[in-house]
Amino acid sequence: MGKLKLGKSSPDKSGENCGCIPEVAGNGLLHRRALLGRGIMVAGAMGAGAAGSLTDAAAEPLTEAPWSIEPGDATPPYGRPSPFEKAVVRTVDNPKNEPGGSRARTPHHLLKGTITPNGLHFTIMHAGIPDIDPAQHKLLIHGMVKQPLVFDLDALSRYRMVTRVGFLECGGNSAPLFSNEPIQADVQALHGLASCAEWSGVPLATLLDEAGVDPRAKWIIAEGADAPHLSRSVPLAKVMDDAIVALYQNGERIQPGQGYPMRLYLPGYEGNMNVKFLRRIQVTDQPGMTYFESKIYTDPLPNGKDTQFYFVQEVKSYITSPSPGLALREPGLYEISGVAYSGNGRIEKVLVSADGGNSWGEAALDEPRLPKAFTRFSMAWRWDGGPAVLQSRAWDEGGNVQPTREQFVAKRGQTSKPPSVLGFPGHHFNAITSWEVSPKGEVRHVYA
Amino acid sequence: MSMRKVAIAVCVLACAIAGAARAESPRLGKPISQSDFAEWDINILPDGTNLPPGSGKAADGAKLFADKCALCHGDKGQGGIAVRLIGGPAKASLNGGKTIANYWPYATTVFDYIRRAMPFPQPRSLSDQEVYSLVAFILAENKLIGEDDEINATTLPKVRMPNRDNFVVQFPDRM
């Protein structure tokens, strides 16, 4: 990782004399202007001469296609993607539902924008997906309250709901990057346990106020109705701030894999705490020290200590295109694109490097930049056919900066031998990811 | 400050609080009594709060373990298709090896988790007595209690877990 240099551009690449888009950082990163309006087309045309001819052949003659000369299919009640998009699916690591957990990962490299479609949202189950009859599902609030209360779905549907876009990320997302050697896998395998959706539901604070919280209370313990009766403790301050009993995801009822008919949604907090199939909230003066917060979502540190209550998913970004599996076919102009997010708030800035961190240019950020939600960043890049290492680095509005892998490992450690790509040696990995582009255009995961 | 000014100040404060209050609620929660949710009331707190009556010893737990746990966790609790429960390395690392003995901060978690989630195919099928016996067996095999020690609501929270004071809370300022 080289020293941070912003906006480095050599005189001969400034673009001032040729009228093309100037470089803002080494190895072909172009000014944001290249992404605006017609700029990219101009840059593409100009770039063709400089970086080798993209295509000299004329387009094929155009004729009527078979689907244009007869009526098409019936409209289905529930729309589905084109059959040609059948590769755009989650990877599922326990398709036969053998005893134990199962994980389904989001195909970031095949998606754009910031909202993950419901069927592609990541999910982790610890003992299968329960088949819950919503008419019989109940939510109990008890413990340090004046009056224990029970709510059903009908009742909750009459409360004022709030809607917010927010990311959800497993505390173990990106765990393969704890490996001492880079594991060769794509962005779906490495970072697929994070997604972003619009969540609608009832603020949990409204329901707790109705039950009357004892002023001495400090925590809640949330529990699901699935077979493991999964339970997690959440600080009461967080709950009263922005916790939602979510009933809808991207406008429709949340899917069974997301906790149908209701889940806890804690913006910016590790996925496991966002308890699915939510059936019970106990208000307490102490955490429950449940299995998942005692053993699973805690990590040994290099100094011999162990982490505990590592709730916030800290500032992070990764490039989704180009990325492993998406080879570059020829030199020329490309858009580098990825997602950035922080459990502490909005994304303030994303820098991109094409030379392994020796120089950096500021990426364009798509609006709206919402707090604790995916922000899409992009950067124009003229690949000259030579070796390149692509990186992104994000800052959030709290001034938190995504660490380099070196900084991260110094604090949190790494394995001494490569683990399985499906393993979880550690949690809350948020350091920089590096993709190396070979002269052939192939992309692989490296540490740089 | 005059009484009138005090009254105005109080009013301003009260109005500010009212303004900050959450929106009007339809208040549709149905009251329920403790006895009517007893079956769901299964959280055990680390100080032992809510541990049920009953007790168990390792010898009884050994039989239950062979019947209900060994298939997945190994006949000696050494691990199989499910995690190790007995023995293991002295210290966990990023290469693995987190165990009840070297890692879990509270013994109450063992009771809570077995009762809510185990055995994997039939959670909530064990009696409280059976859970106490299994907890006693697992703790004794890990040398965390003696072979003949009785585990109950009083003794379980007192079991000293070796790694308890080794944890660093990550976000204390936000809790």
Side-chain angles (χ1 to χ4, degrees):
Chain A
M1 178 58 59
K3 200 177 161 199
L4 182 73
K5 275 182 264 173
L6 243 182
K8 173 193 161 195
S9 50
S10 51
D12 58 317
K13 291 184 175 178
S14 69
E16 280 165 21
N17 297 327
C18 69
C20 52
I21 303 292
E23 280 196 10
V24 293
N27 210 8
L29 291 182
L30 302 181
H31 189 273
R32 271 179 289 174
R33 203 166 80 217
L35 295 171
L36 299 174
R38 293 165 58 211
I40 197 158
M41 297 168 68
V42 173
M46 303 293 285
S53 179
L54 287 173
T55 169
D56 290 330
E60 295 287 317
L62 300 175
T63 57
E64 288 289 354
W67 49 81
S68 301
I69 53 173
E70 62 178 6
D73 293 336
T75 300
Y78 195 99
R80 308 218 16 109
S82 160
F84 289 96
E85 297 299 312
K86 62 176 189 258
V88 186
V89 290
R90 300 180 299 190
T91 45
V92 178
D93 69 1
N94 185 4
K96 293 181 181 163
N97 199 25
E98 279 158 7
S102 64
R103 286 141 294 265
R105 290 171 165 84
T106 295
H108 293 299
H109 56 306
L110 304 175
L111 302 175
K112 288 289 186 196
T114 55
I115 299 293
T116 313
N118 286 341
L120 298 176
H121 198 286
F122 93 88
T123 179
I124 296 181
M125 298 304 311
H126 295 281
I129 300 175
D131 184 16
I132 294 180
D133 175 358
Q136 293 185 48
H137 182 83
K138 301 281 195 291
L139 172 62
L140 166 67
I141 294 180
H142 74 111
M144 295 176 70
V145 294
K146 279 195 191 113
Q147 174 62 60
L149 295 174
V150 175
F151 299 86
D152 60 19
L153 197 58
D154 268 359
L156 291 181
S157 299
R158 276 190 48 200
Y159 282 71
R160 190 185 73 86
M161 291 192 204
V162 294
T163 291
R164 72 178 289 163
V165 173
F167 78 83
L168 191 66
E169 181 178 38
C170 171
N173 191 35
S174 319
L177 279 81
F178 275 96
S179 171
N180 61 323
E181 290 168 19
I183 292 181
Q184 289 315 316
D186 62 14
V187 68
Q188 180 171 22
L190 298 177
H191 298 305
L193 296 175
S195 307
C196 186
E198 183 193 77
W199 302 94
S200 304
V202 181
L204 181 50
T206 306
L207 307 179
L208 288 172
D209 282 349
E210 188 174 325
V213 174
D214 186 318
R216 293 167 300 169
K218 288 195 176 66
W219 292 81
I220 65 158
I221 303 171
E223 179 184 272
D226 53 346
H229 300 77
L230 189 145
S231 63
R232 284 299 302 263
S233 308
V234 186
L236 186 60
K238 169 66 177 177
V239 171
M240 298 311 267
D241 180 28
D242 60 5
I244 298 171
V245 178
L247 307 178
Y248 295 86
Q249 181 182 354
N250 293 333
E252 63 181 2
R253 290 282 190 191
I254 59 176
Q255 294 194 351
Q258 297 302 329
Y260 182 82
M262 60 185 72
R263 81 172 310 163
L264 187 59
Y265 181 61
L266 303 167
Y269 271 32
E270 73 182 4
N272 183 258
M273 301 173 76
N274 296 253
V275 175
K276 297 186 276 197
F277 323 105
L278 184 67
R279 77 164 193 182
R280 186 162 71 98
I281 301 283
Q282 181 178 4
V283 181
T284 62
D285 60 0
Q286 58 190 299
M289 301 311 303
T290 72
Y291 171 75
F292 287 98
E293 62 213 27
S294 291
K295 179 193 175 185
I296 303 294
Y297 293 96
T298 70
D299 292 311
L301 294 167
N303 66 7
K305 297 281 188 179
D306 304 297
T307 63
Q308 189 170 58
F309 298 146
Y310 200 138
F311 297 146
V312 176
Q313 297 297 121
E314 295 186 276
V315 62
K316 182 165 177 176
S317 68
Y318 34 86
I319 293 168
T320 55
S321 174
S323 66
L326 302 179
L328 307 184
R329 280 179 297 179
E330 61 210 350
L333 189 75
Y334 288 87
E335 184 192 62
I336 295 170
S337 173
V339 292
Y341 48 96
S342 169
N344 287 307
R346 281 181 184 76
I347 289 299
E348 192 67 37
K349 178 173 75 175
V350 177
L351 299 185
V352 170
S353 176
D355 55 13
N358 285 319
S359 64
W360 298 84
E362 191 165 349
L365 304 180
D366 284 359
E367 297 290 342
R369 282 179 298 123
L370 299 171
K372 306 175 188 179
F374 277 9
T375 292
R376 173 71 55 179
F377 66 86
S378 54
M379 182 104 198
W381 178 43
R382 184 176 291 121
W383 181 47
D384 64 6
V389 174
L390 306 179
Q391 298 177 320
S392 67
R393 187 176 203 187
W395 277 252
D396 70 23
E397 62 183 342
N400 304 295
V401 55
Q402 185 177 8
T404 66
R405 190 171 182 284
E406 200 175 77
Q407 291 168 337
F408 182 89
V409 167
K411 220 165 151 185
R412 300 285 313 282
Q414 62 180 354
T415 64
S416 57
K417 55 179 191 296
S420 157
V421 68
L422 297 175
F424 294 95
H427 299 82
H428 292 269
F429 183 96
N430 73 319
I432 290 172
T433 298
S434 304
W435 304 135
E436 182 185 76
V437 181
S438 76
K440 284 183 179 167
E442 282 153 3
V443 186
R444 60 195 287 269
H445 179 213
V446 295
Y447 291 158
Chain B
M1 196 183 284
S2 72
M3 283 307 288
R4 188 157 165 263
K5 276 187 183 161
V6 169
I8 289 168
V10 167
C11 177
V12 167
L13 187 64
C15 294
I17 290 168
R22 280 171 269 274
E24 188 72 20
S25 157
R27 304 187 78 81
L28 298 173
K30 288 184 182 158
I32 185 169
S33 66
Q34 182 87 22
S35 57
D36 284 339
F37 63 77
E39 196 174 324
W40 281 21
D41 191 11
I42 56 173
N43 290 337
I44 307 302
L45 303 185
D47 65 3
T49 300
N50 210 30
L51 276 168
S55 66
K57 284 193 170 185
D60 299 323
K63 295 189 197 84
L64 278 164
F65 190 90
D67 277 357
K68 305 203 178 229
C69 316
L71 188 65
C72 298
H73 292 282
D75 55 356
K76 305 239 181 308
Q78 76 276 23
I81 63 165
V83 296
R84 172 192 287 278
L85 296 176
I86 295 164
K91 189 142 179 69
S93 74
L94 289 177
N95 297 312
K98 288 178 191 171
T99 67
I100 292 173
N102 74 19
Y103 205 78
W104 293 32
Y106 294 94
T108 47
T109 308
V110 185
F111 187 100
D112 179 281
Y113 191 64
I114 291 174
R115 186 168 67 160
R116 73 172 58 245
M118 292 292 133
F120 185 87
Q122 293 167 296
R124 304 289 286 118
S125 62
L126 298 170
S127 69
D128 292 342
Q129 194 74 24
E130 289 173 319
V131 178
Y132 274 124
S133 301
L134 283 169
V135 171
F137 173 71
I138 291 167
L139 294 178
E141 290 293 303
N142 280 303
K143 314 282 185 229
L144 296 165
I145 62 169
E147 275 180 33
D148 289 324
D149 289 358
E150 183 180 295
I151 285 297
N152 57 40
T154 310
T155 58
L156 182 59
K158 291 183 185 150
V159 175
R160 187 71 201 162
M161 300 297 273
N163 202 44
R164 179 173 304 169
D165 298 327
N166 201 45
F167 290 89
V168 183
V169 174
Q170 194 65 28
F171 288 104
D173 55 325
R174 292 165 211 181
M175 292 174 55

